[in-house]
Amino acid sequence: MEGIRAKCLWLFAILMRIANEGLLKSGDSIDNDTEIINRISDSETYDELLSVSVSIVDRLASSMVASVYHGHSQIITQALNYIQRNYRSKVSLNDIEENFYVNASYFSTLFKREVGMTFTDYLNSLRISHACTLLTTTNMGIVDISIASGFEDQ
């Protein structure tokens, strides 16, 4: 457990350094460094450590999406957060339509206009980025990496 906790502390030190180097909008705050260290250090079980880690990553990812996206549509902001949280599983325009009560055609047009790429291109770029990270940081096989990155049916 200590080794995993140490790796989490190391990972979040890097993430917080990146966040502090300007990827977050001014005024955004994930947690202060001490609070993150305490939350991870106080975790006593794997499940608790996982829960804390997922919570911190979700908040960091949401803030980073908000800092990159400068559009005006609330539905696109919500969809970007949803995609960021779920891209490793099966995500489709139908999911967006069902979860956000928006017509898929309208959403696609708005997404392209405000994000600058199609929904599918954006989703695939997230998946490819995740796959590249897994390729360089794990010993997982290609099939396992593709499944872990959301390319189950490709």
Side-chain angles (χ1 to χ4, degrees), residues 55-66:
S55 157
I56 294 167
V57 168
D58 279 347
R59 288 171 49 198
L60 184 60
S62 294
S63 292
M64 290 175 82
V65 166

Side-chain angles (χ1 to χ4, degrees), residues 108-125:
S108 293
T109 302
L110 185 61
F111 192 92
K112 169 85 171 163
R113 184 176 351 126
E114 294 203 13
V115 178
M117 65 176 70
T118 67
F119 167 80
T120 303
D121 287 345
Y122 180 78
L123 180 61
N124 284 334
S125 71

Side-chain angles (χ1 to χ4, degrees), residues 62-83:
S62 294
S63 292
M64 290 175 82
V65 166
S67 71
V68 173
Y69 171 66
H70 301 292
H72 303 287
S73 173
Q74 184 178 8
I75 193 75
I76 298 298
T77 302
Q78 292 171 346
L80 287 170
N81 286 326
Y82 175 83
I83 295 164

Side-chain angles (χ1 to χ4, degrees), residues 19-137:
N20 290 332
E21 288 176 356
L23 288 179
L24 299 181
K25 293 190 298 188
S26 59
D28 281 353
S29 174
I30 302 302
D31 277 325
N32 64 46
D33 293 343
T34 305
E35 184 178 344
I36 289 174
I37 291 168
N38 288 340
R39 289 177 67 193
I40 292 171
S41 296
D42 292 344
S43 299
E44 295 179 6
T45 66
Y46 294 112
D47 289 337
E48 191 176 343
L49 185 58
L50 177 63
S51 176
V52 168
S53 298
V54 167
S55 157
I56 294 167
V57 168
D58 279 347
R59 288 171 49 198
L60 184 60
S62 294
S63 292
M64 290 175 82
V65 166
S67 71
V68 173
Y69 171 66
H70 301 292
H72 303 287
S73 173
Q74 184 178 8
I75 193 75
I76 298 298
T77 302
Q78 292 171 346
L80 287 170
N81 286 326
Y82 175 83
I83 295 164
Q84 182 67 37
R85 285 190 314 271
N86 296 292
Y87 71 89
R88 290 171 297 242
S89 59
K90 189 171 184 169
V91 176
S92 68
L93 277 173
N94 288 338
D95 296 324
I96 300 297
E97 191 172 37
E98 290 173 9
N99 284 295
F100 298 103
Y101 309 104
V102 62
N103 177 278
S105 179
Y106 170 74
F107 174 80
S108 293
T109 302
L110 185 61
F111 192 92
K112 169 85 171 163
R113 184 176 351 126
E114 294 203 13
V115 178
M117 65 176 70
T118 67
F119 167 80
T120 303
D121 287 345
Y122 180 78
L123 180 61
N124 284 334
S125 71
L126 287 175
R127 289 174 170 167
I128 290 168
S129 177
H130 184 68
C132 288
T133 300
L134 292 176
L135 278 169
T136 59
T137 61

